[in-house]
Structures are given as C-alpha cells and as structure tokens.
C-alpha cells in the first residue's frame, strides 16, 4: 500500500474519489447478471471458425483500421455511405474516447437510472456529470428537466441508451427528437440492446448533424471479444480517431467478429429464442405475488420486490445458485429493484423456481 500522502500528491482528486467497477464472482452459479447471451456455437460453426483463425498472423500488429470488419459492419447494418464507423475495444472504450476528447470544463448529460459507465468515465476525467431522473412509473425521459439542464449547462455530450439499461424500455421517439434538436452538443444513442429491440436511430443519422449511434456485439453474443462501434459523420469520428490507440482491436477479435457477423443467422435464431423467453419470464414474474416486473425491449427484465425485501431476495437467489443483479443499493427509482438477464429456458426456470422459494411461494 502506498502511504496516503504519496497518492494524494500524485493522482488526480477525482481518481482518488472513485471506486473500481466491481464485477461479481459467478463461479458455480447460474449467471444471469450481465446480459450475456447464454448460447454457444454449434460444432460445425466452431470448426469453420477455427479454420478462419488458424493462419492469423499473430506476430504482426493488427490492421489499425480493421478495414475488413468495418466493411462487413457497413454492409450488414446498411450504414449509408456518407457515414463512418469507429471501432472500440467494447463500446465502453468509445464512451471513454469521446469523453477524453472534451475540454476539461465540459458537461455530460444522461438520464438516471442509466448505464453506469457514462458517469464512471465522466468522473474519472473530471467532467461535470448531470443525471436527470426518469419519470417514476413508466421510466420515460423527463423532457422539461432534460431541456432545463441543456439550457443551463450546455452539455457537450448527451447519452441516451435505447433501450435503456437497467429499465429495459425504449424512450419515446418524439421526446428523443426534441432533445436532439434542443442542444448544440452531441447526442449519442446507445443501442447496445438493438438485437432485441427492433427499433433504431441508425436511419435517422441523415437528419441530424449532432447525432451519433453506438452499438456493440457484446449483448448479441460476443461479449468476450470486446467490440463496439460508433456511427456518425466522418468529421466528428475523425477527431476521435486521433486519440484512439492505433491497435485497439486485436487481430483475433477482428477475424472472429467478422466471421460471426457473416454467420449472423445463427445469432438471429438465438435472439428470437431469447425474446420468446423474455415474454415467458415477464409473465411468470408478474404472476408472483409481491413482484412487479417491467416490460423490456432488451435481453433483461427489471423487477421490483415488496418494500425492503430486495437485498434478502437477491441473497437467497445467490444462495440457491442463481446470480442476478441487485440494483437496490443504487437507490432512487431503483429502490427494491433487481435485474435478471434472460437465459436459456432451463436457466430461466431455475431462476423462477428459486425466486418463488425466496418469496415463500412454492
Ligand atoms: C452493456 C452495455 C454497454 C457496454 O458494452 P460493451 O461493448 O460490452 O462495452 C454499453 N451501453 C449499454 C447501455 C450497455 O448496457
């Protein structure tokens, strides 16, 4: 341990004030805490993937522009020719890149509850982060409150997750449009859950100069590879490209994501299964006495326990071998809330059974 006086004379105060992003240990547990796709690849796909990476030149640096992968993404997502694609080591890295390019006095705005990395990364860089609470009840954006912050603080960047994590809902399109036109700052629509949502702002990029759309392959089923991407005007992405580390996407990730996206029908089947299970889990949750589950356009479901019970329910589930996410410690609108990722039918059944047991209902 460094003595405290050395730390405080070396590191920035905002770094000293932070705590590290903690990931729960899932060893031996049914893992429904991190919005991962529960399915593996069929054997024949694995074999042809191994063939693809067999001759990967690992002695060489990767293609710094990942040209083949970018081409595949542009084709598959039907990204209009006038827009560029910037790749990141997960979309987390893209959020960091964007924030690192801002002046130290810049403000950042996002609704709360929202994705924790927006605040974590803003804090780490000493930027002013403004969180505007969503409306209680339906978790919609509070337009007047958002506009008030835009007018008062003129945020350089506004993050809007669509669907939102951890609430799972798609915000009103017309409200988002009003936010985009209210600001001179950039608006990033974070579409991490696009594979489950059937809704997107990708085809709206042409309408707004300040709009960026961010995606990731993590929730689709490739969380281990770390690849996210940002789509927007070349002038804007060009600035971010200057501060991107040249080899941020490793060779195996480039080859493997390219291979996977070329076999996308595989994921389409898995995604459909997950969406089907989402409906089953939601309905079953809402049939449990004392539980209120919220509709979701993502691959997870937020639900509320009776007042004061969330911590105990979470602990009981874990004790029964099921790991979900306890959001109660975050307080605010998330008081008494837990979040479960939709898994395989067996995993979901095990979760629901354990939950009924925790509630004394079985
Ligand atoms: C999971 C998640 C991400 C992070 O994605 P990575 O590409 O794995 O870094 C980004 N935004 C939201 C809203 C998420 O839930």
């Amino acid at each position: 341990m460094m003595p405290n006086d050395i730390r405080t004379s070396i590191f920035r105060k905002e770094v000293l004030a932070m705590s590290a992003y903690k990931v729960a240990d899932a060893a031996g547990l049914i893992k429904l805490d991190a919005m991962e796709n529960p399915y593996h690849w069929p054997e024949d796909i694995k074999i042809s993937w191994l063939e693809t990476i067999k001759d990967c030149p690992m002695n060489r640096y990767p293609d710094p522009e990942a040209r083949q992968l970018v081409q595949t993404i542009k084709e598959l997502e039907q990204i209009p020719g006038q827009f560029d694609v910037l790749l990141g080591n997960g979309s987390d890295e893209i959020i960091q890149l964007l924030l690192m390019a801002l002046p130290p006095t810049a403000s950042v705005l996002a609704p709360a509850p929202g994705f924790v990395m927006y605040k974590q990364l803003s804090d780490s860089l000493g930027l002013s982060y403004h969180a505007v609470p969503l409306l209680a009840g339906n978790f919609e954006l509070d337009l007047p409150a958002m506009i008030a912050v835009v007018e008062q603080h003129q945020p350089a960047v506004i993050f809007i997750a669509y669907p939102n994590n951890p609430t799972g809902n798609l915000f009103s399109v017309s409200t988002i449009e009003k936010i985009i036109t209210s600001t001179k700052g950039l608006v990033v629509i974070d579409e991490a859950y696009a594979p489950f949502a059937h809704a997107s702002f990708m085809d709206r990029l042409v309408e707004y100069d300040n709009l960026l759309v961010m995606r990731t392959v993590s929730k689709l089923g490739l969380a281990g590879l770390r690849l996210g991407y940002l789509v927007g005007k070349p002038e804007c992405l060009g600035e971010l490209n200057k501060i991107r580390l040249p080899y941020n996407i490793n060779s195996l990730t480039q080859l493997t994501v390219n291979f996977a996206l070329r076999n996308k029908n595989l994921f389409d089947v898995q995604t459909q299964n997950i969406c089907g299970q989402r409906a089953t889990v939601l309905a079953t949750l809402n049939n449990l006495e004392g539980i209120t589950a919220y509709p979701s356009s993502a691959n997870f479901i937020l639900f509320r326990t009776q007042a004061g019970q969330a911590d105990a329910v979470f602990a009981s589930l874990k004790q029964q071998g099921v790991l979900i996410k306890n959001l109660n410690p975050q307080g605010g609108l998330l008081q008494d809330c837990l979040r479960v990722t939709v898994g395989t039918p067996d995993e979901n059944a095990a979760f629901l059974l354990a939950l009924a047991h925790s509630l004394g209902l079985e």
Side-chain angles (χ1 to χ4, degrees), residues 35 90-92 115 118 161 165 190 192-193 216 218-219 226-228:
M35 284 77 100
S91 38
D92 289 350
F115 183 48
Y118 308 145
N165 172 12
D190 179 350
Y193 299 96
T216 174
S218 295
K219 312 298 159 56
R226 309 305 297 130
L227 187 89

Side-chain angles (χ1 to χ4, degrees), residues 65-78:
E65 311 293 334
R67 278 160 298 192
Q68 215 182 358
L69 177 54
V70 166
Q71 191 48 43
T72 299
I73 290 171
K74 282 184 170 169
E75 268 176 54
L76 282 180
E77 301 299 341
Q78 297 172 325

Side-chain angles (χ1 to χ4, degrees), residues 21-222:
Y21 183 80
K22 275 214 190 66
V23 177
D25 180 10
L29 302 173
I30 295 176
K31 193 173 187 312
L32 300 176
D33 66 326
M35 284 77 100
E36 292 146 327
N37 173 335
Y39 297 107
H40 299 279
W41 293 1
E43 212 51 35
D44 59 324
I45 298 279
K46 281 189 197 164
I47 288 165
S48 74
W49 167 64
L50 286 172
E51 201 50 43
T52 308
I53 60 166
K54 189 167 70 112
D55 295 320
C56 174
M58 283 186 283
N59 55 322
R60 302 291 178 199
Y61 283 104
D63 174 0
E65 311 293 334
R67 278 160 298 192
Q68 215 182 358
L69 177 54
V70 166
Q71 191 48 43
T72 299
I73 290 171
K74 282 184 170 169
E75 268 176 54
L76 282 180
E77 301 299 341
Q78 297 172 325
I79 293 169
Q82 70 267 42
F83 297 105
D84 267 358
V85 173
L86 177 98
L87 302 185
N89 191 331
S91 38
D92 289 350
E93 191 192 36
I94 294 173
I95 300 166
Q96 188 181 44
L97 267 179
L98 186 54
L99 296 176
M100 279 187 341
L102 304 180
T105 53
S107 289
V108 177
L109 165 62
F115 183 48
V116 292
M117 276 296 150
Y118 308 145
K119 181 176 180 343
Q120 176 91 356
L121 292 168
S122 298
D123 287 351
S124 77
L125 293 162
L127 304 171
S128 319
Y129 185 83
H130 300 276
V132 171
L134 296 173
L135 300 175
N138 63 0
F139 298 127
E140 252 310 331
L141 292 164
D142 184 343
L143 182 62
M146 295 284 285
I147 301 282
V149 172
V150 168
E151 285 172 358
Q152 196 188 342
H153 300 284
Q154 300 178 358
V157 177
I158 302 175
F159 289 104
I160 297 177
Y162 183 80
N164 190 43
N165 172 12
T167 54
N169 57 316
L170 288 163
F171 298 127
S172 145
V173 170
S174 71
T175 303
I176 295 177
E177 288 167 347
K178 289 187 182 104
I179 292 168
I180 297 171
T181 53
S182 77
T183 178
K184 292 193 176 69
L186 297 170
V187 177
V188 178
I189 305 294
D190 179 350
E191 301 190 338
Y193 299 96
F196 312 97
H198 312 294
S200 173
F201 274 75
M202 200 67 92
D203 58 356
R204 312 294 304 276
L205 280 168
V206 286
E207 293 171 48
Y208 305 103
D209 278 342
N210 59 338
L211 178 63
L212 296 164
V213 174
M214 187 168 69
R215 294 257 179 105
T216 174
V217 299
S218 295
K219 312 298 159 56
L220 179 68
L222 301 169

